[in-house]
Amino acid sequence: MNLSRTARALLRIALALGLGVIYVPLAVVLLNSFNSDRTFGWPPSGLTFQWWRSAWNSTGVRDALWTSIQAGLGATAIALLLGTMAAFAVQRYRFFGRDTVSLLIVLPIALPGIVTGIALSNTFHTVLGVPLGLLTVIVGHATFCVVTVYNNVLARLRRMGRGLEEASADLGADTFTTFRLVTFPMLRSALLAGGLLAFALSFDEIIVTTFTSGAGVRTLPIWIFENLFRPNQAPVVNVVAAALIVFSVVPIYLAQRLSGEAQTH
Amino acid sequence: MSGSLRRRAAAFLHRHARVRLSLLLSAPLAWLGLAYLGALAALFVTAFWSTDTFTGDLVKTFTLANFQDLATGEVYRTIALRSLGVAVAVTLIDLVIAFPMAFAMAKLASPRAQRWLVILVLTPLWASYLVKAYAWRVMLSSDGVLGWGYGLTATILTLSYLWLPYMILPIYAGLERLPNSLLDAAGDLGARGWRTFRTVVWPLSFPAVVAGSIFTFSLSLGDYIAVKIVGGKSQLIGNVVYDNIGAANNLPFAAAVATVPVVIMLVYLAAVRRTGALENL
């Protein structure tokens, strides 16, 4: 490619600057979690572990974390089931309205979260008369989590073809045995990757959660948002934020290992 | 006994493809087709109702009053236009930052470096949305690193930051698919860098750009959290919806306002359909 040396240098600088812009704010949060100044005056006047200790001992944080994990696991389980079923239907069969099914699955993340949020809360509240709580949060999250599992399973089904399943049937295995011994093992890493994404999506969600959780149910994002504007909670909020940044590396690492595993297959 | 039942069920399913398909589709369609679409439809119907000003109860008689208020209210027009402006500004800022980054990633980096760069761009997507908005709150606060204060500019900056990876990744994928031989051919035919960009790279990567813009546009349009965190007193469509549900307890009007971003998104999706952007999502 005939790019001048200046153009190449400029593009590389743009890339480096862009990555800098992406990471500097995160670094500031990490650094501030050790800032001994309560109001995060800049530059930090001193470093301390005090805020990490108080965050660890905060029951509000612990309860919210546990609620988030429950909601994430519930939503992921439903998304795994529905996403896999839909992916099989769309990839393995030809039927009327097949494209509509894909559109329907993407819709909950394509529409603004607030629309999904008030539509669901209105249905729970006025149409069905279900009290809002953890269960309604799980239903809300599952609705937009289906798409991640669906996409992963769909891509895997497309790649793996039907040869091995047909061979299994020829060797005398029935539908269920083939699924258990042939199809499912080949899907496993796609299910893990999709499930991981679904969990992360649910764990981070705030808008749909705001409208579908009742008064008593507080997920971690809700807790952060409630305490964001309380000056005396600021250091603890900052520690929770810093911890979330550090732990966001875990799913990335797992997803990379999974995709590496998939390539060697 | 149960073994033979299982065998018969398996044989039955094996012979009847349509039954298999119906079983597979039943739960997803019940959830998303009936429950979710039903909920959206119910919300849309609510937009044509009203609330009793004294009791705050829903009055279930058809009225266009909400949409009339929406169309004639000076405030709402300003807020709708402001939200649209924010979404457009965020999309343009992200495009200007993301395109050179994606180009450098796809065309200048070695394959090994590319893998790492993708991870570097992906990782912040997993860090919580609130954490990132909060990071900007801390940096923009009057005694923070930047100290620029809060307001509409702060909102645009924060939203651009939040959605930047959503713009980089589709453009990167689009540019990676673009064969290097085309760029070489343009060079052999005498085109310099800028001309190659204008006549070869841009037209061929346009669907990917549009795909990225769908994310940045729709995510900005529906947001009301970031503006609460760094926006100071400014309001966007999302805030109007939120306030009408919470403080004002006027679900019908909130539903009517919520149709605005949905309609804008549908118009946008319809407009870009022909570029082939939807296959790039």
Side-chain angles (χ1 to χ4, degrees):
Chain A
M1 197 176 23
N2 67 333
L3 269 178
S4 67
R5 201 181 266 175
T6 352
R8 277 168 194 272
L10 282 177
L11 282 168
R12 287 219 167 87
I13 291 171
L15 178 59
L17 278 180
L19 287 173
V21 168
I22 291 177
Y23 279 94
V24 165
L26 301 180
V28 170
V29 170
L30 274 179
L31 197 61
N32 263 337
S33 68
F34 300 104
N35 191 341
S36 58
D37 179 8
R38 256 188 177 284
T39 57
F40 309 133
W42 196 261
S45 48
L47 299 177
T48 174
F49 275 103
Q50 188 194 340
W51 313 129
W52 283 83
R53 259 199 308 277
S54 36
W56 179 251
N57 291 323
S58 155
T59 47
V61 174
R62 287 187 177 200
D63 291 348
L65 182 64
W66 176 230
T67 308
S68 274
I69 290 173
Q70 283 174 300
L73 289 179
T76 305
I78 296 170
L80 280 171
L81 194 66
L82 295 183
T84 310
M85 288 169 83
F88 265 94
V90 166
Q91 169 61 25
R92 292 287 169 84
Y93 301 88
R94 299 283 166 272
F95 56 92
F96 176 75
R98 190 159 149 266
D99 295 334
T100 319
V101 173
S102 313
L103 190 69
L104 204 58
I105 287 168
V106 179
L107 201 61
I109 56 160
L111 289 182
I114 195 163
V115 175
T116 301
I118 57 176
L120 288 177
S121 89
N122 175 43
T123 306
F124 290 137
H125 226 72
T126 49
V127 183
L128 300 176
V130 183
L132 298 182
L134 183 61
L135 210 63
T136 49
V137 172
I138 291 177
V139 170
H141 284 195
T143 305
F144 60 77
C145 284
V146 174
V147 66
T148 63
V149 177
Y150 172 80
N151 278 343
N152 272 283
V153 174
L154 196 69
R156 177 61 52 86
L157 284 176
R158 229 174 242 157
R159 227 180 28 213
M160 77 188 196
R162 311 200 57 167
L164 286 173
E165 285 164 317
E166 277 159 7
S168 156
D170 287 348
L171 291 171
D174 66 22
T175 309
F176 300 128
T177 312
T178 302
F179 184 82
R180 189 162 53 85
L181 295 180
V182 180
T183 318
F184 182 72
M186 290 201 293
L187 283 181
R188 202 153 38 200
S189 62
L191 287 172
L192 260 169
L196 212 57
L197 262 167
F199 186 83
L201 214 57
S202 156
F203 199 74
D204 191 27
E205 218 287 333
I206 174 154
I207 299 180
V208 174
T209 319
T210 308
F211 292 104
T212 50
S213 66
V217 178
R218 224 174 253 111
T219 62
L220 202 53
I222 299 271
W223 184 89
I224 296 177
F225 194 57
E226 277 179 357
N227 288 282
L228 209 52
F229 305 105
R230 294 182 186 156
N232 62 338
Q233 284 281 33
V236 175
V237 169
N238 212 347
V239 169
V240 174
L244 285 177
I245 293 172
V246 173
F247 285 117
S248 67
V249 178
V250 175
I252 285 287
Y253 171 76
L254 286 175
Q256 278 301 316
R257 281 209 43 183
L258 286 176
S259 70
E261 182 196 332
Q263 274 161 13
T264 52
H265 269 307
Chain B
M1 187 62 207
S2 73
S4 88
L5 195 67
R6 204 194 86 139
R7 247 196 318 278
R8 266 162 52 199
F12 180 79
L13 284 176
H14 184 75
R15 279 195 305 271
H16 296 84
R18 287 284 129 182
V19 176
R20 286 203 308 269
L21 175 62
S22 317
L23 285 176
L24 284 174
L25 276 177
S26 57
L29 280 188
W31 192 291
L32 291 164
L34 281 178
Y36 181 62
L37 279 190
L40 287 177
L43 182 69
F44 189 65
V45 170
T46 314
F48 295 98
W49 291 346
S50 57
T51 45
D52 191 302
T53 28
F54 291 109
T55 59
D57 291 338
L58 276 178
V59 180
K60 300 182 180 175
T61 41
F62 180 86
T63 167
L64 284 172
N66 294 318
F67 289 97
Q68 271 159 7
D69 287 352
L70 198 60
T72 52
E74 190 78 30
V75 194
Y76 302 122
R77 208 173 322 146
T78 315
I79 291 179
L81 285 177
R82 185 190 295 148
S83 308
L84 200 59
V86 167
V88 171
V90 168
T91 303
L92 289 179
I93 292 174
D94 278 345
L95 175 60
V96 169
I97 301 177
F99 203 98
M101 288 180 73
F103 191 87
M105 280 166 70
K107 296 297 172 200
L108 300 181
S110 68
R112 208 183 126 78
Q114 269 185 34
R115 212 173 126 82
W116 278 104
L117 287 167
V118 171
I119 296 177
L120 274 178
V121 173
L122 263 175
T123 308
L125 273 183
W126 293 80
S128 155
Y129 163 96
L130 274 177
V131 169
K132 286 180 279 186
Y134 173 69
W136 280 86
R137 183 179 168 85
V138 171
M139 290 198 309
L140 291 166
S141 84
S142 48
D143 50 359
V145 186
L146 296 173
W148 297 342
Y150 308 136
L152 206 56
T153 320
T155 310
I156 294 176
L157 266 179
T158 306
L159 288 175
S160 307
Y161 174 78
L162 283 168
W163 317 137
L164 183 62
Y166 291 94
M167 186 63 110
I168 298 176
L169 291 169
I171 299 183
Y172 165 75
L175 288 172
E176 213 207 354
R177 279 198 303 269
L178 181 77
N180 285 333
S181 56
L182 286 180
L183 303 183
D184 293 335
D188 291 345
L189 292 169
R192 295 280 197 79
W194 174 245
R195 181 127 189 236
T196 309
F197 172 76
R198 207 164 40 88
T199 55
V200 180
V201 178
W202 179 254
L204 287 175
S205 57
F206 190 67
V209 169
V210 175
S213 79
I214 292 175
F215 285 118
T216 58
F217 197 77
S218 118
L219 288 169
S220 310
L221 213 52
D223 189 272
Y224 70 93
I225 304 263
V227 70
K228 276 196 177 183
I229 296 176
V230 297
K233 289 195 174 66
S234 357
Q235 287 215 317
L236 298 179
I237 296 184
N239 303 92
V240 179
V241 178
Y242 183 82
D243 293 344
N244 270 293
I245 292 169
N249 191 26
N250 190 348
L251 182 66
F253 189 67
V257 180
T259 54
V260 174
V262 173
V263 168
I264 295 179
M265 250 353 266
L266 292 179
V267 169
Y268 191 65
L269 287 176
V272 301
R273 237 172 84 118
R274 298 183 58 192
T275 62
L278 299 184
E279 284 75 51
N280 277 284
L281 284 178

